[in-house]
Amino acid sequence: MTSEKKKKSLLRKAIIALWAIFLGGLVAIFIFIYSISINFNGWYGELPSLKSLENPKSDLSSVMYFADNVEMGKYFRFNRSSITFDELSPNVVDALIATEDIRFTEHSGIDLRGLGRVFFKSVLMFDKSSGGGSTITQQLAKILFRTRSDLSNGSLNDVPGLGLVIAKMKEWIVAVKLEQSYTKKEIIAMYLNTFEFGSNAFGIKTAAKTFFNTTPDQLTKQQAAVLVGLCKNPNLFSPVYQPENAFHRKNTVLAQMHKYGYIDDAAFDSLKTKPIELDYDVQNQNDGLATYFRGTILWDLLAWSKENGYDLYEDGLKIYTTIDSRMQKYAEEAVEKHMAYQQKLFDEHWAGKNPWRDEKGNEIKNFLINEAKRTQYYRSLKKKYGNDEDEILKKLNEPKPMTVFSWDGEIDTVMSTMDSIRYFKKFLHTGFMAMDPHNGHIKAWVGGINYKYFKYDHVKQGRRQPGSTFKPLVYAAAIDNGYSPCYQIQDVPVTFEVVGDPPTWTPANSTGQYTGETMTIRQAMARSLNSGTAYVMRKIGPETVVNYAKRLGVESPLEAVPSLCLGTSDVSVYELVGAYSTFVNEGFYTKPFYIDRIEDKNGRVLQQFVPKTNEALSSETAYAMLYMLKGATEISGGTALGLDRELRVDNEIGAKTGTTQNYSDGWFMGVTKDLVAGAWVGGDDRSIHFRNISLGQGARMAMPIWELFMEKVYADEELGITKGEFKRPANLSIQLNCEEYNMQQMNLSDSVEQVNQFDVDGIQ
C-alpha cells in the first residue's frame, strides 16, 4: 500500500473515530441527562414533579389591609409580593432582557448559541468575563427549585465537580419544562417576583417600594437599571451599602440597553452620569400605622392559620380588617400630641425625683434592681456569674452605646442597663380604642406610645382598675331592675359590713366630704359621687353587678364585693368600650372584633367573620343609660364639662371619667351616636403616678385624647361620622323628665367656679 493510500486510510479512520466519539458523546450526554431526569438509582436527587412545575411555590407575604383598602402591613419570612407582567414597567423588562438574556424570546429555555460563546471564550480563550450563559428561565429554575441545594440530595452530588455538572443539567431540564408550561411573559413575571433584591426585599414589587418608594409600573429607566443590576449580586451592587459599585453596575445595564436599542444615545448619555436617587425604607413591624394592633392580631391569625391548614408567613393570605386608616391616623396623632404634653407635665411634676412610690409616698427601695431581675440580660448574667451579685451588679452598671426613645425623636446615647431601666420606667403609657357600636367593628387601636420600645399592648392585653368608669355598669344593672335616672338619693355616707378588720367599709367622696344634698342618681353619676354608686350597690348587691358586667362583655375576673362599685377589679380598654357600646346599640352587646374576612392569594374568600351578639339590656335601659351618661356633659358639676364646647354643639355626647386611688390610672369613655371610644393613661407600674388630683384625674390625663380624636374625625367628612342625637326607643316608659325639678331642689348655679369645684372623679 502506497503512503498516499495509507494517509487516506488513516484520515478516514480518524474521521470515523471522531464521528464515533462525537455520536458516542451525544448518546452519553443523552443517557446522562435522561438518567438525571429519572434519578437513576438515586444517584442524582429528585427533580420537581409535574404538579410543582405547573404550580411552583414561592413564599408569599401575607398582606393585611385597613377597612378602606389601604395596606396596613405584612407577615413574612421573606418580604415578597407578587405582580403580573402587565403591572411591570417596560423599562424593567427591557433592562432585564438586555442584560441577562438578549435571546430570551428566541430560545426554549436553553440558549445553545450563548453556551457556545461561553465555551469558546471561557474554556478555549480563558476569558472569565464571558458570563455563565444561563438564560432567565434557567435562573428561575435555580431560584424556584433550589437546584443546587434542595434538589442536590443524590449520592453523586458530593463528588467534586460532578455535583455542579448535575445541578447545571437539572437547571436545563427544569428550564425546558418551565418553557413548556408557561408563556414568556409569565416567566419574566415569575423571575422578577421571585428574585431577592437585598434589604429583605423579595420580588420586584417589594424592591420598588423599598428602594424607591414606588410601584413596578412606575419604575424609570434609571431605577430599572439599578434593580436589574442587583440581579448580578444583591450584596456587591447594593445602592445602599455599595453605592459606587451600584453606580457602575447601573451604567453597565444602561450600556446593554443602549447596545440593543432600548434607549437612544441622548438618554444613555444623560442617564449614565446621573446619580442614583433612593427613597429607601425597609419595611418592618415597628413602622407604619397600627403597630400595636398588628402585634395583637398576629396571635389570632396564627391560631386561625394552624386550625385551617395555612402558613401565615408563606401562603400570601389577604387579611381585611375593620380598622379605618384615617381614624387610626387621627387616633395616633391624638395620642402623640397629648402624651408628649402629659409626659412633660409628669417630668416637671417630679422634678428629677424617682416617681415609684409606696402608699405613704416614700420611694420604693430596690425598685430598679427588682425590675432589672425581670430582664433577659439579668438572667443571662445570672447564668454566667451564678451568685456573684457584685459582678452582676457591675455589669448592670456598665455603660454601653444604645438608642432610646424620646418624644423629640430617638436619641443615641451611652447608658448602663440600670440607667436605661430608670429612664424608661418614668414614661407614662396609654391605650385607646374606638369602635362602631352598631356592628362591633373596631375602627382605631393605639396600644401604647411607641411599639418599637414598648411592646406591651394597653388596649386588650393590659388590664387596670377602671375607677369611676365602671360606675355606669352598676347603674345599668339598677335601671334594668326598675330604678329610674330620676331616682333620688342623698349624698351621705354609705356603710357596708365586710369581712376583715375593720368589719365595715364606708367609701368616701373625692373631696372627703358629703354635702347631704338630695339628688337624682343621674346627677350623682355625672358628678361621680362615690356615695351615690355605693348606695345603688347596696340596693342591688355585688353579685347582680357582676352578672350584668359579664352580660356587657367584661370577661376579666370581677370580685363580687362592695368596693367593685368604685372599679377595684382590673378590666381592659377593649372590654369597657364594648360594654359602653351596648348602650348605643339599643341594649345588644356586640363583641368588638377586628377581622372582616380572610382571602387566599387568589382572592378567594376563606372565611367571612361575623360579630357575636347577645341582648344584654332592654332598649329602654340602654337609652336611659345614654341619658345618664349625657349628664357628665350637661349637668353642673359634670366631670366632662371641660370637653371642647364646639364638640357639644348640636351633638349628644355621653361621657364618663375615671381615676383610681393614688391617681395611678386615668380613664375617659366617650359615647356618640356613631362611635364609642375609650382611653386609659398611667404608669408602667401602679406605683408610678401623679401626686395630686389636679394632674392625676381622668379628665386631665385621658379625656384630651378622645377630644382631639373626635375633633379630627368630625372634620373629615369622608368618614361619614356626624353629630346628632341618640336613637330613642318608640315606647319609652322609664321616667327621664325630672331635670327641672331636681335642679330647683339642688339650687345649683351654672357658674364656672362651681363647675371647676366638681370637675373631679370619684376616687375609691
Side-chain angles (χ1 to χ4, degrees):
M1 182 181 293
T2 64
S3 59
E4 187 66 27
K5 289 183 178 180
K6 286 183 179 181
K7 288 179 180 180
K8 289 183 178 180
S9 176
L10 288 173
L11 180 61
R12 186 166 51 252
K13 290 179 180 179
I15 292 172
I16 292 172
L18 287 172
W19 272 105
I21 292 171
F22 176 74
L23 293 174
L26 286 178
V27 172
I29 291 173
F30 175 79
I31 293 173
F32 180 54
I33 293 175
Y34 178 73
S35 65
I36 291 174
S37 69
I38 63 172
N39 189 23
F40 180 75
N41 206 32
W43 288 349
Y44 310 102
E46 295 291 340
L47 280 169
S49 65
L50 181 61
K51 182 179 179 180
S52 64
L53 283 168
E54 292 176 349
N55 298 281
K57 180 178 176 63
S58 60
D59 298 344
L60 283 179
S61 308
S62 288
V63 184
M64 191 153 55
Y65 296 93
F66 287 102
D68 47 333
N69 290 322
V70 175
E71 185 177 312
M72 180 186 295
K74 298 178 181 178
Y75 297 107
F76 52 80
R77 291 191 181 91
F78 310 105
N79 189 9
R80 189 196 315 277
S81 297
S82 291
I83 57 169
T84 64
F85 182 87
D86 293 335
E87 295 174 277
L88 289 169
S89 165
N91 296 324
V92 181
V93 178
D94 294 345
L96 181 65
I97 291 176
T99 308
E100 296 294 326
D101 190 356
I102 191 59
R103 281 179 294 279
F104 175 71
T105 58
E106 301 171 14
H107 62 67
S108 298
I110 303 172
D111 184 5
L112 296 177
R113 181 177 168 185
L115 287 174
R117 170 183 55 79
V118 171
F119 178 79
F120 179 78
K121 286 189 174 182
S122 61
V123 177
L124 300 182
M125 300 183 65
F126 304 99
D127 182 2
K128 294 184 179 180
S129 66
S130 60
S134 290
T135 64
I136 291 174
T137 317
Q138 286 174 250
Q139 294 179 47
L140 175 61
K142 179 180 175 181
I143 297 169
L144 274 181
F145 301 105
R146 300 179 177 92
T147 53
R148 303 192 183 184
S149 57
D150 293 2
L151 300 182
S152 297
N153 54 2
S155 57
L156 295 180
N157 287 114
D158 294 330
V159 178
L162 183 57
L164 182 60
V165 174
I166 294 172
K168 200 69 177 177
M169 293 297 103
K170 286 184 177 181
E171 289 170 16
W172 287 8
I173 296 169
V174 174
V176 171
K177 291 185 177 181
L178 285 173
E179 291 273 352
Q180 293 171 347
S181 301
Y182 298 97
T183 66
K184 291 289 186 178
K185 288 183 177 181
E186 289 173 330
I187 289 171
I188 287 283
M190 288 171 66
Y191 176 81
L192 289 171
N193 282 330
T194 309
F195 192 82
E196 178 186 358
F197 289 87
S199 295
N200 201 27
F202 290 76
I204 191 68
K205 183 177 181 180
T206 307
K209 177 70 173 176
T210 299
F211 290 102
F212 300 110
N213 192 27
T214 189
T215 53
D217 62 318
Q218 297 297 317
L219 287 168
T220 64
K221 291 180 174 62
Q222 173 92 335
Q223 294 168 340
V226 172
L227 295 182
V228 169
L230 290 169
C231 295
K232 180 79 171 178
N233 187 321
N235 295 321
L236 182 60
F237 299 110
S238 168
V240 178
Y241 303 108
Q242 300 287 346
E244 188 173 341
N245 290 353
F247 180 81
H248 292 306
R249 180 62 184 168
K250 178 261 299 185
N251 282 349
T252 298
V253 175
L254 290 172
Q256 289 293 104
M257 295 176 72
H258 178 246
K259 176 181 177 180
Y260 293 111
Y262 291 112
I263 57 176
D264 57 25
D265 294 344
F268 178 58
D269 291 339
S270 172
L271 293 173
K272 70 180 181 181
T273 59
K274 188 176 180 180
I276 299 173
E277 297 178 359
L278 297 177
D279 189 353
Y280 181 70
D281 182 27
V282 177
Q283 188 173 22
N284 64 68
Q285 305 299 351
N286 293 324
D287 297 331
L289 288 174
T291 49
Y292 282 94
F293 174 74
R294 281 185 269 151
T296 298
I297 196 177
L298 170 62
W299 303 107
D300 297 281
L301 294 175
L302 287 173
W304 183 91
S305 298
K306 182 178 181 180
E307 182 179 340
N308 291 276
Y310 290 92
D311 189 326
L312 177 66
Y313 297 104
E314 293 185 1
D315 288 342
L317 300 175
K318 297 177 182 178
I319 302 107
Y320 292 87
T321 72
T322 64
I323 307 292
D324 186 282
S325 69
R326 297 156 295 183
M327 289 197 214
Q328 181 66 29
K329 178 175 177 286
Y330 300 150
E332 293 187 15
E333 289 173 348
V335 164
E336 181 177 355
K337 181 177 181 178
H338 177 66
M339 291 305 295
Y341 170 73
Q342 202 65 20
Q343 189 64 48
K344 181 181 178 182
L345 289 181
F346 191 70
D347 293 341
E348 292 172 352
H349 178 71
W350 283 100
K353 297 179 182 179
N354 292 325
W356 33 91
R357 303 283 162 153
D358 61 21
E359 293 181 358
K360 296 181 179 179
N362 299 318
E363 183 176 340
I364 299 173
K365 294 181 179 180
N366 300 319
F367 178 84
L368 291 178
I369 190 64
N370 288 333
E371 290 297 319
K373 289 179 179 179
R374 297 164 60 183
T375 65
Q376 181 59 44
Y377 182 55
Y378 178 88
R379 287 191 286 269
S380 65
L381 292 175
K382 187 71 175 176
K383 186 176 181 180
K384 182 176 181 180
Y385 296 107
N387 294 323
D388 191 347
E389 292 295 331
D390 290 338
E391 188 63 29
I392 293 175
L393 196 60
K394 178 182 175 182
K395 290 293 183 181
L396 288 173
N397 284 284
E398 192 175 88
K400 51 191 173 184
M402 64 175 65
T403 303
V404 298
F405 166 79
S406 85
W407 281 111
D408 293 322
E410 292 182 321
I411 300 173
D412 292 323
T413 184
V414 176
M415 282 187 182
S416 68
T417 299
M418 295 301 292
D419 289 336
S420 68
I421 294 173
R422 180 181 292 105
Y423 176 80
F424 280 114
K425 279 294 177 180
K426 293 180 180 179
F427 278 95
L428 291 176
H429 299 271
T430 188
F432 176 84
M433 188 184 109
M435 70 175 274
D436 183 332
H438 304 291
N439 56 22
H441 288 192
I442 297 175
K443 309 309 294 183
W445 180 304
V446 186
I449 58 175
N450 187 282
Y451 186 72
K452 180 177 179 180
Y453 290 93
F454 307 99
K455 290 290 194 288
Y456 192 80
D457 173 66
H458 290 285
V459 170
K460 192 176 183 182
Q461 183 181 8
R463 289 179 170 85
R464 296 290 282 261
Q465 290 183 344
S468 296
T469 52
F470 191 82
K471 289 178 179 177
L473 278 64
V474 179
Y475 285 110
I479 290 175
D480 209 49
N481 281 276
Y483 288 82
S484 163
C486 299
Y487 183 85
Q488 293 187 337
I489 60 171
Q490 284 186 303
D491 180 17
V492 295
V494 177
T495 300
F496 294 87
E497 293 183 1
V498 295
V499 177
D501 185 18
T504 61
W505 175 67
T506 305
N509 288 328
S510 61
T511 61
Q513 299 176 341
Y514 307 93
T515 65
E517 296 174 277
T518 299
M519 64 187 73
T520 65
I521 60 174
R522 181 179 189 242
Q523 291 168 321
M525 192 178 90
R527 292 165 56 180
S528 205
L529 295 178
N530 291 342
S531 59
T533 321
Y535 178 87
V536 170
M537 174 66 92
R538 193 171 64 178
K539 282 286 187 180
I540 63 176
E543 292 81 7
T544 301
V545 172
V546 170
N547 177 50
Y548 271 86
K550 296 299 182 185
R551 289 163 63 173
L552 291 168
V554 178
E555 297 178 351
S556 297
L558 300 175
E559 287 190 85
V561 294
S563 62
L564 178 63
C565 69
L566 305 187
T568 54
S569 291
D570 292 354
V571 298
S572 66
V573 173
Y574 174 89
E575 290 171 314
L576 273 191
V577 173
Y580 276 62
S581 293
T582 307
F583 306 143
V584 186
N585 199 31
E586 303 179 69
F588 283 88
Y589 167 75
T590 303
K591 186 171 184 177
F593 77 109
Y594 36 73
I595 305 176
D596 178 55
R597 69 185 186 278
I598 297 177
E599 298 178 355
D600 65 13
K601 63 182 179 181
N602 298 315
R604 181 172 62 93
V605 176
L606 301 176
Q607 184 169 347
Q608 181 79 50
F609 293 82
V610 294
K612 298 177 181 178
T613 65
N614 65 272
E615 188 174 3
L617 304 170
S618 71
S619 61
E620 291 185 80
T621 297
Y623 185 77
M625 282 309 303
L626 293 175
Y627 177 68
M628 291 277 288
L629 287 166
K630 285 194 299 176
T633 66
E634 296 175 349
I635 294 176
S636 293
T639 58
L641 283 173
L643 278 174
D644 190 330
R645 187 174 299 274
E646 181 61 32
L647 279 176
R648 293 185 281 152
V649 172
D650 300 324
N651 197 26
E652 291 190 333
I653 297 175
K656 189 71 197 77
T657 53
T659 308
T660 57
Q661 194 169 8
N662 293 335
Y663 327 115
S664 296
D665 306 274
W667 291 78
F668 182 79
M669 302 297 298
V671 177
T672 68
K673 68 180 183 67
D674 294 326
L675 277 181
V676 175
W680 165 87
V681 174
D684 192 33
D685 293 79
R686 298 174 202 263
S687 62
I688 299 171
H689 50 74
F690 285 106
R691 289 172 288 183
N692 57 57
I693 190 70
S694 63
L695 293 174
Q697 61 174 291
R700 302 285 189 266
M701 292 173 67
M703 187 169 74
I705 295 176
W706 186 91
E707 183 179 65
L708 290 167
F709 170 72
M710 289 304 298
E711 287 173 348
K712 291 175 179 290
V713 168
Y714 282 136
D716 189 341
E717 296 181 359
E718 291 184 1
L719 291 174
I721 306 297
T722 58
K723 294 181 177 181
E725 299 179 350
F726 296 113
K727 183 179 179 181
R728 182 186 178 100
N731 299 309
L732 184 64
S733 60
I734 298 176
Q735 182 183 2
L736 302 181
N737 188 21
C738 52
E739 199 62 26
E740 182 177 353
Y741 167 81
N742 287 307
M743 288 294 288
Q744 291 173 351
Q745 194 172 45
M746 292 286 292
N747 193 27
L748 297 174
S749 71
D750 291 327
S751 67
V752 174
E753 180 180 353
Q754 186 154 14
V755 169
N756 288 337
Q757 177 186 350
F758 293 104
D759 189 14
V760 295
D761 301 313
I763 300 176
Q764 58 173 322

